[in-house]
Amino acid sequence: MKRFALLTAALGLAQVAQLGNAQAATITIATVNNPDMVTMQKLTPEFNKKYPDITVKWVTLPENELRQKVTLDVASGAGSFDVATVGAYEVPIWAKNGWLDPLTPMFSKNAAIASSYKVNDILPGVRNALTVGGNLYAVPFYAESSMTYYNKDLFKKAGLTMPANPTWTQIQGFAAKIHDPSGGVYGICLRGLPGWGENMALFSTMVNTFGGRWYDPSWQAQLNSPAWKSAMNFYVDTLKKYGPPGATSNGFTENLTLMSQGKCGMWVDATVAAGLLSDPASSKIVNSVGFANAPVGPGTPRGSNWYWSWNLAIPKSTKQEDAAFKFITWATSQEYIALVAKTKGTWASVPPGTRTSTYSNPSYKKAAGAFSSLVLSSINKADVTKATKDPVPYTGIQYVAIPEFQALGTQVGQYLAGALSGQTTVDQALTQAQAAAQKVAKDGKYQK
């Protein structure tokens, strides 16, 4: 009491109140329910050890729902979230719209954080994707490309050998030989859940490598092209014959569960899953999982593996900028990566694809030796400016970097799911998709 009285006399009651308010803050974080983010939420007490005056509240949602809620909130300036988990697609668009706080000035004002955080340790390609007009607008929680996972025990049993650079034709042939639904094993698992970041993330890379594209240089939609038709027929045929039942309900998380339980012979998906499949706490195939590059189709090797990062950003509407900055720099730091390794008991489970220091760390090299170089090379070779056989007016591998794509990609994903479930034919789905893409180009005045 005496101490408080002395402080009051020295500073005045109003200043003491202001001091207390400056020290205490509550932040709300919106994130996707992927395993790495769930780990981040569980480690909140460790953040509070460092910053005891910051209270953290979580809103954790499935990917599609997260995108809808966060986009609406950030665009309207509602201010429900102080930290938002956003993708590589959103960051440059939202930055240009003025929806995000630039982080570069915050690093300049916080010398201690900047010194320990080491922005230049972030992989150059990842850092560049989050930089607009010389300002960093988000920090990467993890970055990924795509690759092929396969069950070596099932391959050995079937007398098969996975090449380092498989083709989609080879993948389908392997799936046919492994597929044993009566034994609880499916030849292949692929994303079927509708969404521009779900089934379309995988399918767009397939379209690329079959020689297709979303638009030609004049912004004329190309979804009724032979390449799109070949890719969609191949995708539907492969999953119907050799995939699990109800594939249209399976996104990243559901397929991760199936693969880790030994129910999939192969899975083509995000490189981030390599660490998850190597974690004995959640995977039954730690000793039998194999890794290869993402498959290529008959058209071109370009765009066969995607580029993506999940990032933490601060919406312009936050009233807790300082506390939010402290959280995002903690959760994407070298310190945090080491904390995950300690908590999980293995460096193979740390958030990948973000820092040079991770890939030069002897402990990580030892734990993730089976896949670390493949993951890094996949991320480094993913080129958002050269993802298609023929010229295009947009950037992006598994997406078209225009604001309208979030809705367009999900709409086309629904048509794709309709063809997979048998509600429509491939031709009907492509007709609908072509009309939707053409309408976006016209309404958005992309066509001259």
Side-chain angles (χ1 to χ4, degrees):
M1 290 297 291
K2 287 183 179 180
R3 186 179 179 184
F4 182 76
L6 289 171
L7 187 61
T8 301
L11 297 177
L13 284 170
Q15 285 178 286
V16 172
Q18 289 176 354
L19 181 61
N21 288 337
Q23 290 176 334
T26 298
I27 58 174
T28 300
I29 300 170
T31 194
V32 66
N33 64 346
N34 288 353
D36 282 303
M37 284 71 165
V38 173
T39 297
M40 175 173 59
Q41 184 176 356
K42 289 179 179 178
L43 290 174
T44 304
E46 297 296 326
F47 171 74
N48 289 137
K49 288 180 183 178
K50 187 170 185 177
Y51 299 108
D53 295 312
I54 301 176
T55 300
V56 180
K57 294 184 178 179
W58 292 89
V59 177
T60 307
L61 300 165
E63 189 168 325
N64 287 344
E65 190 177 347
L66 174 85
R67 285 197 171 102
Q68 292 171 359
K69 284 187 178 294
V70 172
T71 301
L72 180 61
D73 187 86
V74 173
S76 65
S80 301
F81 308 120
D82 302 293
V83 173
T85 304
V86 294
Y89 159 78
E90 289 98 344
V91 171
I93 295 173
W94 290 13
K96 290 175 183 176
N97 287 346
W99 296 351
L100 301 176
D101 272 347
L103 303 182
T104 302
M106 297 185 206
F107 279 108
S108 298
K109 288 189 299 183
N110 293 273
I113 290 178
S115 176
S116 62
Y117 188 80
K118 297 180 175 60
V119 169
N120 289 336
D121 184 46
I122 298 173
L123 292 170
V126 177
R127 189 171 67 248
N128 291 341
L130 306 177
T131 300
V132 178
N135 275 311
L136 190 68
Y137 278 88
V139 284
F141 186 69
Y142 70 73
E144 64 185 30
S145 185
S146 53
M147 62 193 290
T148 302
Y149 303 100
Y150 65 100
N151 190 309
K152 292 188 290 186
D153 289 345
L154 295 176
F155 264 62
K156 184 177 180 180
K157 183 180 177 181
L160 303 173
T161 300
M162 173 68 77
N165 298 287
T167 67
W168 274 112
T169 300
Q170 288 174 319
I171 291 292
Q172 189 184 62
F174 296 153
K177 293 181 179 179
I178 293 172
H179 192 55
D180 180 20
S182 62
V185 174
Y186 308 104
I188 190 167
C189 292
L190 299 173
R191 298 189 188 193
L193 183 68
W196 75 269
E198 283 285 2
N199 62 349
M200 290 308 297
L202 181 281
F203 183 67
S204 291
T205 64
M206 190 179 288
V207 167
N208 292 339
T209 198
F210 270 68
R213 53 186 172 170
W214 282 81
Y215 294 99
D216 70 10
S218 300
W219 285 99
Q220 296 296 319
Q222 301 294 302
L223 283 70
N224 58 356
S225 66
W228 269 79
K229 184 172 182 177
S230 295
M232 192 174 289
N233 274 320
F234 183 90
Y235 169 88
V236 169
D237 184 58
T238 300
L239 266 183
K240 276 187 174 181
K241 288 181 178 178
Y242 312 119
T248 55
S249 297
N250 295 342
F252 171 82
T253 304
E254 293 78 13
N255 284 325
L256 172 63
T257 299
L258 287 168
M259 186 73 193
S260 64
Q261 297 302 305
K263 297 182 181 297
C264 300
M266 291 174 293
W267 179 34
V268 181
D269 213 292
T271 54
V272 70
L276 302 172
L277 292 172
S278 301
D279 183 356
S282 58
S283 175
K284 293 181 179 179
I285 62 166
V286 171
N287 296 320
S288 59
V289 61
F291 311 95
N293 282 304
V296 298
T300 177
R302 287 185 176 183
S304 59
N305 57 300
W306 70 61
Y307 170 75
W308 185 253
S309 61
W310 277 118
N311 316 281
L312 300 182
I314 303 176
K316 200 79 172 178
S317 52
T318 183
K319 293 180 175 60
Q320 301 291 347
E321 182 184 274
D322 182 63
F325 181 68
K326 287 175 179 175
F327 182 85
I328 68 172
T329 50
W330 171 80
T332 61
S333 64
Q334 292 181 34
E335 171 193 0
Y336 176 84
I337 291 172
L339 177 62
V340 173
K342 180 181 177 182
T343 303
K344 291 280 191 178
T346 173
W347 272 87
S349 298
V350 304
T354 60
R355 288 184 171 271
T356 300
S357 57
T358 300
Y359 289 90
S360 61
N361 185 306
S363 297
Y364 184 76
K365 286 182 175 180
K366 182 179 179 180
F371 59 81
S372 62
S373 60
L374 180 57
V375 169
L376 187 60
S377 68
S378 295
I379 293 172
N380 286 338
K381 74 181 180 183
D383 189 343
V384 298
T385 66
K386 297 177 182 177
T388 56
K389 178 183 178 182
D390 298 317
V392 294
Y394 57 85
T395 60
I397 299 175
Q398 77 278 21
Y399 56 81
V400 177
I402 58 174
E404 297 88 347
F405 186 77
Q406 185 166 339
L408 173 61
T410 296
Q411 190 175 6
V412 175
Q414 290 167 343
Y415 298 144
L416 176 64
L420 178 58
S421 65
Q423 294 178 348
T424 63
T425 65
V426 166
D427 285 343
Q428 289 169 333
L430 289 172
T431 298
Q432 294 172 312
Q434 171 71 10
Q438 192 72 352
K439 185 175 188 301
V440 163
K442 286 183 177 179
D443 293 351
K445 296 181 171 55
Y446 293 97
Q447 296 176 350
K448 303 300 183 183

